[in-house]
Amino acid sequence: MSHSQQSRTRDLVLAGARGLVGAMAMTGIRTVTGNIGLVHETPPEAIVGQHAPESVHRLAEEHRAALTETAHWFYGALAGLGYRLLPRKIRARRWCGPAYGLVIWLVFEGIIAPLLAVRPARRKLLGRLLIALDHAVYGIVVAGRLAPEPDTIEPRSVSQEGSRHVVNSALGSSEARPSRPEYRE
């Protein structure tokens, strides 16, 4: 496998992993908001509740919940791969990740839910805002803003004095970083 193929494969695996972790973060937010009574039914729960086969409905509630979350995480990983397909110039923008997460939610609400005739439990405005928030958090995670790669960070000007040129061979990037002072005894 060539270096460029390895790099592309690594980028896709990383994108899928970020999507998975982003979906897991959404689960955490929904657990908290559900336990305090702000969100009563999430979109994945509505889909499973209305469209899952009878064999899924016969499962114990905790097993059905686990299956629902696993499916959500799978979709999150796929959406993470979708994010990676966006042009690099767009992905480099700070707003892109949260906007991507919100677009996913809006597409579900405006297109997918009506096509599936999924009617999530009525949500008050605060509940809807919390669902939007968890999608924005998903986008932040998918965009890698919590742990960005060097080539996705918008470059900052670094003065030439007091800096050194660093080549990161693992990522194939080079950048100027401030040099650390050397301490002598």
Side-chain angles (χ1 to χ4, degrees), residues 36-150:
I36 60 176
L38 297 175
V39 175
H40 300 287
E41 183 181 52
T42 64
E45 291 167 341
I47 291 172
V48 169
Q50 296 173 32
H51 290 286
E54 185 58 35
S55 58
V56 172
H57 288 285
R58 285 192 303 256
L59 293 173
E61 185 177 335
E62 63 272 9
H63 294 148
R64 189 172 51 251
L67 182 65
T68 301
E69 283 309 322
T70 302
H72 185 246
W73 294 350
F74 176 76
Y75 295 132
L78 287 178
L81 291 172
Y83 181 82
R84 183 69 179 100
L85 298 176
L86 295 174
R88 181 185 300 257
K89 269 185 157 179
I90 294 173
R91 289 191 327 260
R93 306 285 184 189
R94 293 189 189 282
W95 54 263
C96 185
Y100 184 77
L102 290 171
V103 165
I104 289 172
W105 176 57
L106 293 172
V107 165
F108 174 80
E109 291 283 329
I111 299 172
I112 297 171
L115 284 175
L116 293 175
V118 171
R119 307 212 191 305
R122 288 295 252 184
R123 287 190 203 105
K124 294 181 180 176
L125 179 60
L126 181 58
R128 294 180 71 75
L129 289 173
L130 290 169
I131 295 289
L133 172 70
D134 73 22
H135 279 81
V137 168
Y138 170 82
I140 291 168
V141 173
V142 168
R145 291 293 177 196
L146 298 177
E149 294 180 52

Side-chain angles (χ1 to χ4, degrees), residues 14 18 94 143-154 171:
L14 186 57
R18 283 185 174 147
R94 293 189 189 282
R145 291 293 177 196
L146 298 177
E149 294 180 52
D151 64 343
T152 61
I153 300 173
E154 295 173 15
L171 297 175

